């Protein structure tokens, strides 16, 4: 006898990714969304805004909230600001994904994450990332903690292993709710913000030590333009702002090598992400309002 098929109700909600710095929260967000919406660098603490990445499915909409990593040092203003942002991101969310890196010892930062999570009532998932690495120092210790979570998965944001399981596990825990975002959206970020982030990513990749933390990306113009051959492209005029001429010299580099490399790398990423031809006009300017 045929049982009439009922379409299950649509599910939608927010899942926040928390975890110490460098465990791969941003990489995981990008991998689940299938698009680069948040920047990833080997240097810690590069995520400074709360970014929504939207996983679209005919049956559900999973909104991932990437947060800045938790840091051991509590002294610096920037660090406490990041912690505040991470806590803010926990408000109004449906699920928590606690991302950990089993290739490293469980540390003080992991303890801090658990302390922040303890009073929170939402369901939480334990996600052991970097399963592609053979070093698995704390894997057993994390697995032993799995009973205090609604579920546990082992994934590799890099290779994609375990991601379908994570996706299904999260989808199953979402509340019945109409979509939160339009069906084609992959991120809450406006295009211009995304452009600035991709430029900032190159500054992080190519400059040393404190330089990235002394820069702000400013977009002056993003315009549709046409080549002599009639092809359209996006003309982006932007500046890397920095507090003094010492940083300005470092950012420009000998024979303007540094700023050229930043510009070339950023244009490549912009073209890949926006899926179109880009002309990037990038300056390095002094802005005394930025903390030196
Ligand atoms: N081998 C391996 N490396 C990974 C994996 N996921 C992320 N990484 C690397 O780990 C580093 C940190 O990744 P991010 O995604 O920036 O980490 P995060 O948790 O967002 O870091 P913060 O924003 O500083 O808190 C990068 O070098 C990634 O390429 C993975 O599954 N396997
Ligand atoms: Mg990050």
């Amino acid at each position: 006898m045929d049982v009439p098929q009922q379409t299950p109700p649509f599910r939608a909600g927010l899942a926040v990714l928390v975890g110490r710095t460098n465990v791969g929260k941003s990489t995981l967000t990008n991998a689940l969304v299938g698009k680069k919406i948040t920047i990833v660098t080997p240097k810690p603490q590069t995520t400074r805004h709360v970014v929504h990445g939207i996983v679209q499915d005919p049956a559900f909409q999973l909104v991932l909230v990437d947060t800045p990593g938790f840091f051991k040092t509590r002294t610096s203003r920037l660090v406490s600001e990041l912690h505040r942002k991470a806590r803010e991101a926990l408000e109004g969310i449906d699920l928590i994904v606690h991302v950990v890196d089993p290739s490293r010892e469980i540390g003080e930062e992991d303890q801090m994450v658990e302390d922040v999570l303890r009073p929170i009532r939402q369901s939480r998932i334990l996600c052991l990332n970097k399963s592609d690495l053979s070093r698995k120092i704390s894997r057993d210790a994390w697995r032993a903690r799995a009973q205090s979570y609604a579920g546990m998965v082992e994934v590799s944001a890099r290779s994609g292993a375990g991601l379908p399981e994570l996706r299904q596990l999260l989808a199953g825990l979402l509340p019945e709710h109409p979509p939160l975002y339009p069906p084609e959206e992959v991120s809450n970020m406006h295009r211009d913000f995304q452009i600035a982030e991709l430029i900032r990513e190159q500054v992080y990749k190519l400059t040393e030590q404190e330089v990235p933390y002394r820069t702000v990306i400013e977009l002056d113009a993003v315009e549709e333009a046409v080549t002599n051959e009639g092809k359209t492209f996006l003309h982006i005029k932007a500046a890397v702002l920095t507090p003094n001429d010492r940083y300005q010299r470092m950012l420009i580099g000998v024979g303007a090598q540094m700023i050229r490399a930043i510009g070339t790398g950023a244009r490549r990423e912009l073209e890949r992400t926006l899926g179109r031809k880009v002309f990037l006009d990038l300056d390095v300017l002094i802005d005394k309002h930025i903390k030196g």
Side-chain angles (χ1 to χ4, degrees), residues 25-26 39 47 66-67:
K25 300 179 292 299
S26 299
I39 69 167
T47 305
D66 185 20
T67 64

Side-chain angles (χ1 to χ4, degrees), residues 19-30 38-48 66-71 99 101 129-133 155-160:
R20 75 197 261 187
T21 191
N22 225 43
V23 293
K25 300 179 292 299
S26 299
T27 313
L28 198 53
T29 304
N30 289 335
T38 164
I39 69 167
V40 176
T41 75
K43 295 174 194 173
Q45 230 177 335
T46 56
T47 305
R48 292 170 66 175
D66 185 20
T67 64
F70 282 73
F71 243 81
V99 186
D101 177 358
N129 189 29
K130 309 198 184 182
S131 66
D132 56 295
L133 299 178
V155 305
S156 166
R158 183 167 285 178
S159 76

